[in-house]
Amino acid sequence: MKKSIALILALLMVFSLVACGSNENTGSTPDADNSYTISIAHACSEDSTAHIASVGFKDDIEAATNGRITVEIFPNGLMGGDFDCCELVASGSVTACAPAISVLANYHDEIGILDLPFIFSSEEESDAALNHGGKLGAYLSDLCADVNLKILNYSYGGKRNMTNNIQPINTPADLAPIKMRVMESPVFLRMFELLDCNATPMSFSELYTGLQQGTVDGQENSNSTIYDSKFFEVQKYLSVTEHCYSFGGFVINNDFFNSLSAEDQALISEISSKWYGDEHLRIEKEKEENYLSKLENEEGMTVNTVSPENHQKFVEAVEPMYEEYKAAWGEKVFSILDACKK
């Protein structure tokens, strides 16, 4: 891990020099004239909503400040997977990243509450709990201060469905012969363990190759991620399980953010809320059904929707998780979640 991080740091220095010139300050504290560059890394493709949001953020920040603040974007896993990006942000080597929020559970277990299946009843309910002053979002962001990270926004990434090359998935029993890639999250590993599935943690940046080479048989993600990442090229079956929601976010170096003027903090917060919150939600909701149709009718995937009766079998299979994690994490984060849903 240390060697890979060192290599990424070296690459970042090279790209910064090429993009900016050797005298320009990238991803560091403001200069005397209060100008600076925000570098943003993410592991998704340039067709992804995370990238669309990053470009929108860049355009609005640079326009609002007449170029005093500039933004550089490093997409496509150029700086590594989501966890690598978070590590680089924590160290100050990159200013911000747009990861799957799940990887932050590697720092604080309680953040894994967002990975629990079936915890929200609608996209609007999750958005109210996490953004625009939502108490659950604020609580989880505060947890990250001790690792020098601040979650400015939580991005709705769509309902998660399963794909594979073995067979359609209608019940938990259908998962038995499938080696399923899951995010590097203890909660996801436990979820698929309860579903009696052979779960394999793998970085998103390695996933396409892993599917192509047969290292894993399947994966689970939102329809837009499945489409934008062209997983249809290496996957045959798509099963609409909607087992949980996918959340990304805009995560910034805490020391960097605290070093800014109150005006710049407010500006960055407002524009990140627009792009990584409201616009991300709007775009993902539009993509969700449209991309499912494209995956089936244009890209030739075999699509099945889990029936309500079978859906309940998934719900029942993972029920032990809730009491297990209340015992492990304490009642507080669950109480905050419950209060947000009333």
Side-chain angles (χ1 to χ4, degrees):
M1 174 63 79
K2 289 182 178 179
K3 289 183 179 179
S4 65
I5 293 294
L7 177 60
I8 292 168
L9 287 170
L11 284 170
L12 178 58
M13 290 175 66
V14 170
F15 278 98
S16 296
L17 291 173
V18 170
C20 305
S22 59
N23 294 321
E24 188 163 343
N25 195 5
T26 301
S28 58
T29 53
D31 293 333
D33 62 353
N34 208 31
S35 65
Y36 52 91
T37 298
I38 295 173
S39 51
I40 302 174
H42 67 77
C44 299
S45 73
E46 291 174 76
D47 294 324
S48 68
T49 310
H51 189 71
I52 293 169
S54 298
V55 172
F57 176 86
K58 169 184 170 67
D59 291 345
D60 281 4
I61 284 285
E62 292 180 350
T65 62
N66 294 316
R68 176 176 62 82
I69 303 173
T70 56
V71 177
E72 287 184 290
I73 305 169
F74 298 90
N76 292 311
L78 183 62
M79 297 302 156
D82 284 340
F83 184 70
D84 296 321
C85 291
C86 289
E87 288 282 271
L88 290 169
V89 173
S91 72
S93 303
V94 176
T95 317
C97 61
I101 288 296
S102 303
V103 301
L104 296 176
N106 286 284
Y107 301 111
H108 283 283
D109 291 344
E110 289 167 272
I111 296 173
I113 195 169
L114 297 182
D115 290 337
L116 288 174
F118 315 117
I119 63 167
F120 292 114
S121 61
S122 69
E123 303 92 329
E124 290 76 18
E125 183 179 71
S126 67
D127 188 54
L130 295 171
N131 293 317
H132 309 295
K135 291 184 179 180
L136 180 60
Y139 175 74
L140 298 179
S141 183
D142 287 345
L143 291 178
C144 294
D146 68 345
V147 291
N148 203 24
L149 299 174
K150 183 179 184 65
I151 308 171
L152 279 184
N153 279 100
Y154 300 80
S155 305
Y156 173 73
K159 301 178 186 73
R160 299 181 78 90
N161 295 316
M162 301 182 194
T163 70
N164 79 97
N165 282 322
I166 305 297
Q167 62 187 14
I169 298 165
N170 285 292
T171 70
D174 295 326
L175 287 163
I178 298 170
K179 186 183 292 184
M180 182 72 70
R181 175 268 178 181
V182 300
M183 286 188 290
E184 298 163 296
S185 158
V187 176
F188 267 77
L189 283 167
R190 179 58 176 150
M191 184 195 312
F192 281 87
E193 179 184 1
L194 287 169
L195 293 170
D196 292 326
C197 180
N198 182 0
T200 302
M202 179 182 289
S203 169
F204 185 84
S205 61
E206 301 171 356
L207 179 52
Y208 185 95
T209 301
L211 293 167
Q212 188 177 46
Q213 296 178 348
T215 306
V216 289
D217 302 314
Q219 62 85 51
E220 49 81 50
N221 257 300
S222 66
N223 296 339
S224 63
T225 299
I226 294 166
Y227 186 87
D228 291 336
S229 301
K230 301 187 186 303
F231 291 150
F232 54 80
E233 296 177 344
V234 289
Q235 294 279 267
K236 181 176 181 180
Y237 301 104
L238 190 157
S239 300
V240 181
T241 53
E242 297 184 350
H243 48 281
C244 59
Y245 287 5
S246 180
F247 294 104
F250 185 66
V251 180
I252 197 165
N253 179 277
N254 197 52
D255 287 343
F256 173 83
F257 188 78
N258 289 337
S259 75
L260 302 177
S261 67
E263 292 77 14
D264 278 4
Q265 288 183 3
L267 179 66
I268 290 170
S269 296
E270 178 185 353
I271 294 176
S272 71
S273 178
K274 172 186 174 181
W275 283 104
Y276 295 98
D278 298 339
E279 284 297 300
H280 204 289
L281 176 61
R282 181 187 64 79
I283 294 168
E284 278 297 323
K285 288 181 70 174
E286 286 181 358
K287 283 183 173 183
E288 207 148 31
E289 289 301 322
N290 185 36
Y291 277 23
L292 184 64
S293 176
K294 286 186 174 183
L295 288 164
E296 181 175 22
N297 299 317
E298 296 179 16
E299 306 303 340
M301 295 192 79
T302 300
V303 175
N304 70 284
T305 299
V306 173
S307 68
E309 294 79 11
N310 285 332
H311 190 267
Q312 186 60 29
K313 294 177 183 178
F314 284 90
V315 173
E316 292 171 359
V318 300
E319 277 181 354
M321 295 182 72
Y322 308 114
E323 291 305 317
E324 289 174 6
Y325 284 113
K326 282 182 182 179
W329 303 338
E331 295 278 349
K332 184 174 182 180
V333 67
F334 287 92
S335 297
I336 293 170
L337 171 63
D338 290 341
C340 290
K341 295 170 69 175
K342 291 179 180 177

